[in-house]
C-alpha cells in the first residue's frame, strides 16, 4: 500500500493512519468530555494541542479519514449538560492555533493575500479561562451561556449575576434589540491564591489551577447545597472576573473595526482588556507576541498565548470561517514552561484538617522563574493516574505558570531501579491509622485531631492568620517552633489550649526545621540541608560585662528575650481583646468561617451563650443554618475543645462582646444604625466584603446576608447580582458606595441630603 508523508509526520500507510486517527479521536473526545463535563483536565494543554495537530496532519494526508464529527471540525461538548441548554443566536466558534513565529507569519501573509488590501491586526492576550456568551436585549442581560459545542451551551445566568463587574443593565442608551457579547471568565492570580486559602480554611479541597477552578465555579448549582455550600459557592463566584473580547449576534454594529467594538463595549460598562494593541503589519504583531512571551508573568492573570485578529470588521465577512474557527483570527499558543527533573521521593504531609497529601520531592529545578523542589500530588489516586515511580525522571511545569505540577514520567529513561509509591497506613506525624472521613472519600485523614503535631501546627498558624486573630509574629515559623520544634523534645504547645499561657521561659532554647507554607514539608536550603532556625533565641543583656552575642549560653542570669519572642508575647496579650468573631474563627470549628462567625457573634454576644444554645436557636440565626448548628454542637461535645475555651478564658482572652445584652440583641447599642438591617453586596469602593459588614455592625446595625422585606437598605456595588435584583423587586432602598459610607458614619437621616442613586 502506498505511503504518504508530511514534514512533521513520518511516512504512514492509510491503514496505519486510520488506526492512529481513531486512537487520537478517542483520546481527544475523552479529554473534552472530562474537561467540559467534570471541569477537570486529564491532560495538559500542550499534550491536547499535540494530539489535535497530529490528527489534522493525518486528515490532510488522507482526507477520507475526516468525518463530519471529527474533533478537527467540532467544538467542545454539548452532551451531559449540567444546566438547561441555551442555543446561541450566532455560532460560538473556537480558534485555530499556531505554535511558532513561522506558522504565525505564514497565516498572516495568507490573510493579507486573500484580503487583497492592507490589513491591520488587533493583538490581545489570550486569557486561560472559560468562554462565555452574554445575551443583552435592549441593554438588559437576559441570559449567559457557556460555549458548549458552539451552537448549544449551558444556561449559567444566575451564577453570572454574582460575578463582579458584569453589568445587568448596560450603561448609556440606544442599545440594539439583541447583542451577544463574548468573553472569558477567569480567576486572576491573587484571587486564585485567596480562593485556595479560603478552601483550606474551610477544610475543603484545593484547586489545581485557575482555569479548572473557574470552570468548576461557574458550572455549580445552588440546588441541594447546604448553607455552608452556598457560602462557598458565593465565595468562588464573587472572585471570578470577566473580560469581553468580541461580539456574536449583532445585526448592524455602528463601528467599523474590532478595536472600535472594544471601545463601544467599554462605554457600555462591560469589562474590556487594557492589553490589546492595533498594529500595521504582521511583523509588528509578531513583535507583540514575542514581547508578551518574555513578560507573561507580569500580568495579573494567566495567559497561554496571544490572539491576533483582523481589525477591519468588513474583512471578517470576506474571509469567512471554517466549521469551527474564523479565518480572520488565530491563537498563538505559548509552550508551557516545563523541565525534566528526578523524582527523589514521595512523602506524605498532614494539614490542619488532618488530610494526608502526597508530595513529590524532586531534585531542584528552575521552572517559570523560580527553583522548585516540591509539588503536590493531591492524593494516592492522582499518583496512580500520573503513573510516576519514585526514581523516575519526570516532567515538571508550573500549572498556569504558578503552581508546580508533575505531568508524568519519562518512561524511556527508566533503568529498573524505580519503585512504586505506597500510601502509608499511618500518619507520618503521630502514627495514628489513616482513614477516609466518610465512606466514599478519596482523601485519607489522620483522626488524631487533638494531638497530631501537624494538625496542631496548622491550627496555631490559622489562629495567627489574618482571617483568625491576626497576630503579628504567629506565622509559619513560629507556629512550627511552638508545636513541632527540633528541640526541646516536649513542645511548648501540645494543643492550642495553652497559647495564651505562654511564658518567656517557654520560648528559650527552641530550634525548628522551617516548613513550606504550601506543602507542610521541611524546607531545604540551596545546599540540600534542612532550613533550621532558632526564632526565639535568648540574648545577653548589653550591661553584662561578659556580653558576647555569639558566645555560649550558660544560664539564665543576665539574659533578655529576643525581639521576636518579646513581640510574640506582646501581640498575644493584645489579641486577648480582639473581636469575638475572630475567636470563633480561631476555634477551628468546621464550616465556621468569617461570615458565620460574625452572625453568631452579633446574635449571641459570647462563646458561653453559643455553647448553651440549642440546635434550633443556632440554626435560626440568619447566615448560620442547620449544618453549621450541628457542627457547633458536635464541636462542644469534645472535652479537649471545651478545654481550649476554658483555658483561653482563664488566661484573660475576651470571648465576649463587651456590653452585648444577650442573645438576639444588637451588638452595639445607640449606634446610628440601631434597629436597622443592611445588606452589603458586590464590590463597594473603599470596603472589603468583611469590612463592609464590620462597618454595619459597629454602627449598631444588623449585617444581613440575604434580602427580604425586613431589609432596610441594600448597599450594592459592581457584581451585586441576585441580591440587587431582589432589592429592586421588593422596593428596598439601594445605596452606592458613597451613600453607604454616609449611612454607616452619619445614619439614614444624612442620606436625605445626598444625591439619589
Amino acid at each position: 500500500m502506498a505511503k504518504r508523508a508530511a514534514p512533521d509526520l513520518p511516512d504512514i500507510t492509510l491503514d496505519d493512519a486510520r488506526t492512529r486517527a481513531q486512537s487520537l479521536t478517542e483520546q481527544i473526545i475523552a479529554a473534552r468530555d472530562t474537561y467540559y463535563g467534570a471541569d477537570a483536565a486529564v491532560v495538559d494543554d500542550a499534550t491536547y494541542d499535540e494530539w489535535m495537530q497530529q490528527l489534522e496532519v493525518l486528515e490532510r494526508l488522507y482526507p477520507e479519514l475526516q468525518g463530519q464529527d471529527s474533533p478537527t471540525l467540532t467544538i467542545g461538548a454539548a452532551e451531559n449538560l449540567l444546566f438547561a441548554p441555551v442555543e446561541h443566536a450566532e455560532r460560538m466558534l473556537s480558534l485555530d492555533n499556531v505554535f511558532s513565529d513561522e506558522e504565525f507569519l505564514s497565516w498572516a501573509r495568507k490573510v493579507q493575500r486573500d484580503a487583497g488590501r492592507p490589513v491591520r491586526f488587533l493583538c490581545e492576550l489570550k486569557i486561560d479561562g472559560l468562554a462565555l456568551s452574554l445575551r443583552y436585549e435592549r441593554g438588559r442581560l437576559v441570559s449567559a451561556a457557556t460555549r458548549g459545542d458552539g451552537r448549544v451551551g449551558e444556561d449559567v445566568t444566575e451564577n453570572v449575576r454574582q460575578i463582579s463587574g458584569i453589568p445587568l443593565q448596560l450603561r448609556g442608551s440606544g442599545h440594539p434589540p439583541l447583542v451577544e457579547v463574548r468573553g472569558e471568565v477567569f480567576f486572576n492570580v491573587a484571587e486564585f491564591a485567596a480562593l485556595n486559602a479560603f478552601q483550606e480554611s474551610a477544610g475543603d479541597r484545593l484547586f489545581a489551577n485557575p482555569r479548572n477552578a473557574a470552570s468548576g465555579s461557574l458550572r455549580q448549582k445552588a440546588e441541594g447545597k447546604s448553607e455552608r455550600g452556598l457560602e462557598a459557592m458565593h465565595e468562588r463566584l464573587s472572585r471570578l472576573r470577566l473580560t469581553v473580547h468580541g461580539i456574536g449576534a449583532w445585526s448592524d454594529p455602528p463601528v467599523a473595526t474590532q478595536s472600535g467594538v472594544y471601545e463601544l463595549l467599554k462605554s457600555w460598562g462591560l469589562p474590556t482588556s487594557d492589553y490589546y494593541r492595533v498594529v500595521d503589519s504582521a511583523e509588528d504583531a509578531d513583535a507583540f507576541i514575542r514581547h508578551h512571551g518574555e513578560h507573561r508573568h507580569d500580568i495579573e492573570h494567566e495567559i497561554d498565548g496571544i490572539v491576533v485578529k483582523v481589525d477591519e470588521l468588513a474583512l471578517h465577512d470576506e474571509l469567512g470561517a471554517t466549521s469551527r474557527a474564523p479565518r480572520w483570527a488565530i491563537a498563538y499558543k505559548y509552550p508551557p514552561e516545563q523541565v525534566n527533573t528526578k523524582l527523589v521521593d514521595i512523602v506524605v504531609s498532614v494539614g490542619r484538617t488532618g488530610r494526608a497529601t502526597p508530595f513529590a520531592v524532586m531534585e531542584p529545578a528552575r521552572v517559570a522563574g523560580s527553583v522548585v523542589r516540591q509539588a503536590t500530588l493531591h492524593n494516592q489516586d492522582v499518583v496512580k493516574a500520573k503513573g510516576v515511580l519514585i526514581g523516575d525522571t519526570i516532567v515538571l511545569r508550573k500549572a498556569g505558570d504558578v503552581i508546580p505540577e508533575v505531568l508524568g514520567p519519562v518512561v524511556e529513561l527508566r533503568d529498573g531501579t524505580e519503585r512504586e509509591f505506597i500510601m502509608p497506613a499511618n500518619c507520618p506525624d503521630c502514627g495514628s491509622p489513616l482513614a477516609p472521613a466518610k465512606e466514599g472519600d478519596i482523601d485519607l485523614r489522620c483522626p488524631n485531631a487533638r494531638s497530631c503535631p501537624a494538625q496542631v501546627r496548622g491550627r496555631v498558624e490559622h489562629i495567627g492568620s489574618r482571617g483568625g486573630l491576626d497576630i503579628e509574629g504567629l506565622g509559619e515559623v513560629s507556629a512550627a517552633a511552638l508545636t513541632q520544634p527540633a528541640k526541646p523534645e516536649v513542645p511548648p504547645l501540645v494543643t492550642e489550649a495553652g497559647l495564651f499561657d505562654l511564658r518567656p521561659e517557654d520560648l528559650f532554647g527552641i530550634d525548628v526545621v522551617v516548613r513550606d507554607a504550601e506543602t507542610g514539608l521541611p524546607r531545604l536550603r540551596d545546599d540540600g540541608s534542612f532550613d533550621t532556625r532558632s526564632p526565639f533565641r535568648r540574648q545577653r543583656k548589653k550591661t553584662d560585662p561578659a556580653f558576647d552575642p555569639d558566645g555560649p549560653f550558660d544560664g539564665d542570669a543576665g539574659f533578655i528575650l529576643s525581639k521576636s519572642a518579646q513581640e510574640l508575647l506582646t501581640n498575644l496579650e493584645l489579641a486577648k481583646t480582639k473581636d469575638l468573631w475572630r475567636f470563633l474563627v480561631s476555634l477551628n470549628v468546621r464550616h465556621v468561617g468569617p461570615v458565620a462567625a460574625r452572625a453568631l457573634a452579633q446574635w449571641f454576644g459570647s462563646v458561653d451563650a453559643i455553647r448553651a444554645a440549642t440546635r434550633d436557636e443556632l440554626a435560626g440565626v440568619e447566615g448560620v443554618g442547620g449544618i453549621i448548628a450541628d457542627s457547633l454542637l458536635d464541636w462542644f461535645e469534645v472535652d479537649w475543645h471545651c478545654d481550649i475555651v476554658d483555658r483561653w478564658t482563664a488566661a484573660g482572652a475576651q470571648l465576649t462582646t463587651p456590653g452585648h445584652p444577650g442573645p438576639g440583641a444588637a451588638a452595639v447599642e445607640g449606634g446610628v444604625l440601631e434597629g436597622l438591617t443592611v445588606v452589603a453586596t458586590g464590590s463597594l469602593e473603599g470596603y472589603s466584603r468583611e469590612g463592609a459588614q464590620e462597618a454595619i455592625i459597629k454602627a449598631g446595625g444588623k449585617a444581613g446576608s440575604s434580602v427580604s422585606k425586613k431589609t432596610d437598605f441594600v448597599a450594592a456595588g459592581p457584581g451585586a447580582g441576585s441580591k440587587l435584583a431582589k432589592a429592586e423587586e421588593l422596593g428596598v432602598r439601594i445605596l452606592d458606595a458613597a451613600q453607604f459610607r454616609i449611612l454607616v458614619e452619619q445614619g439614614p437621616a444624612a442620606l436625605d441630603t445626598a444625591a439619589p442613586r
Side-chain angles (χ1 to χ4, degrees), residues 457 460-461 464 471-485 492-493 499 502 507 510 512-515 533-536 564-565 568:
R457 182 195 76 240
V460 169
E461 187 174 345
I471 302 173
E472 186 72 25
L474 187 59
E476 170 196 350
V477 174
S478 53
L482 294 170
T483 60
Q484 289 183 291
L493 293 181
L499 181 63
L502 288 172
L507 305 183
I510 295 178
V512 63
V513 175
V514 181
R515 294 176 178 267
R533 303 181 192 175
S534 301
F536 309 124
S564 59
L568 176 60

Side-chain angles (χ1 to χ4, degrees), residues 432-746:
S432 300
L434 298 175
K438 59 180 183 295
E439 186 177 354
D441 278 2
I442 296 175
D443 292 331
L444 300 180
R445 294 179 183 270
C446 170
N448 180 22
R450 179 186 184 278
S451 54
C452 174
Q455 295 185 59
V456 179
R457 182 195 76 240
R459 293 199 301 268
V460 169
E461 187 174 345
H462 174 66
I463 292 169
S465 70
R466 292 183 62 184
L469 286 175
D470 194 14
I471 302 173
E472 186 72 25
L474 187 59
E476 170 196 350
V477 174
S478 53
L482 294 170
T483 60
Q484 289 183 291
K487 65 176 186 179
E489 184 176 345
V490 178
L493 293 181
V494 178
T495 77
E496 59 268 44
L499 181 63
F500 293 104
D501 294 324
L502 288 172
R503 301 164 301 168
E505 53 266 36
D506 295 325
L507 305 183
F508 287 157
I510 295 178
D511 283 344
V512 63
V513 175
V514 181
R515 294 176 178 267
D516 185 85
E518 179 187 350
T519 66
L521 298 176
R523 184 182 293 169
L524 301 176
R525 298 191 180 100
D526 290 339
D527 62 3
S529 63
F530 288 129
D531 184 357
T532 305
R533 303 181 192 175
S534 301
F536 309 124
R537 184 178 182 182
R538 294 181 296 176
Q539 296 177 333
R540 294 181 185 271
K541 293 180 180 179
K542 291 187 178 182
T543 55
D544 185 343
F547 174 72
D548 178 1
D550 298 317
F553 297 125
D554 57 0
D556 291 335
F559 285 97
I560 60 172
L561 277 177
S562 66
K563 182 178 179 181
S564 59
Q566 185 61 59
E567 286 179 345
L568 176 60
L569 293 176
T570 299
N571 291 330
L572 282 170
E573 190 64 29
L574 293 173
K576 293 178 181 180
T577 58
K578 290 287 182 80
D579 290 340
L580 174 60
W581 72 267
R582 290 187 175 275
F583 280 100
L584 294 176
V585 172
S586 299
L587 291 176
N588 283 281
V589 182
R590 186 167 173 79
H591 304 313
V592 177
V595 174
R598 288 176 182 276
L600 290 163
Q602 183 183 7
W603 186 264
F604 290 101
S606 70
V607 171
D608 284 343
I610 295 171
R611 189 175 180 175
T614 66
R615 183 185 189 279
D616 288 344
E617 289 169 339
L618 292 169
V621 176
E622 187 174 3
V624 179
I627 299 296
I628 295 177
D630 289 337
S631 186
L632 284 162
L633 291 172
D634 290 344
W635 193 89
F636 279 112
E637 285 182 358
V638 178
D639 56 358
W640 66 269
H641 289 167
C642 296
D643 184 51
I644 296 171
V645 174
D646 294 342
R647 289 186 62 183
W648 285 7
T649 301
Q654 187 174 276
L655 303 187
T656 64
T657 299
H660 195 290
V668 179
E669 291 187 346
V672 295
L673 295 184
E674 184 175 2
L676 300 178
T677 298
V678 182
V679 174
T681 180
S683 300
L684 292 168
E685 185 177 355
Y687 295 91
S688 64
R689 184 181 297 109
E690 293 178 0
Q693 293 174 336
E694 193 163 338
I696 296 167
I697 295 169
K698 286 185 175 179
K702 177 181 179 182
S705 60
S706 60
V707 180
S708 69
K709 292 181 179 179
K710 296 180 180 180
T711 303
D712 296 289
F713 296 95
V714 170
S722 58
K723 293 180 182 179
L724 175 59
K726 185 69 172 179
E728 291 171 340
E729 177 188 333
L730 295 176
V732 176
R733 186 170 179 181
I734 300 168
L735 311 177
D736 60 20
Q739 292 170 318
F740 175 70
R741 185 176 296 278
I742 293 172
L743 178 69
V744 296
E745 292 179 356
Q746 303 176 45

Side-chain angles (χ1 to χ4, degrees), residues 250-287:
W250 195 355
S251 58
D252 188 23
V255 290
T257 61
Q258 182 76 23
S259 52
V261 168
Y262 287 0
E263 291 303 313
L264 181 59
L265 295 178
K266 185 176 182 179
S267 73
W268 286 350
L270 287 159
T272 57
S273 174
D274 295 325
Y275 295 101
Y276 75 85
R277 181 186 303 169
V278 178
V279 298
D280 295 324
S281 68
E283 289 72 22
D284 288 342
D286 190 51

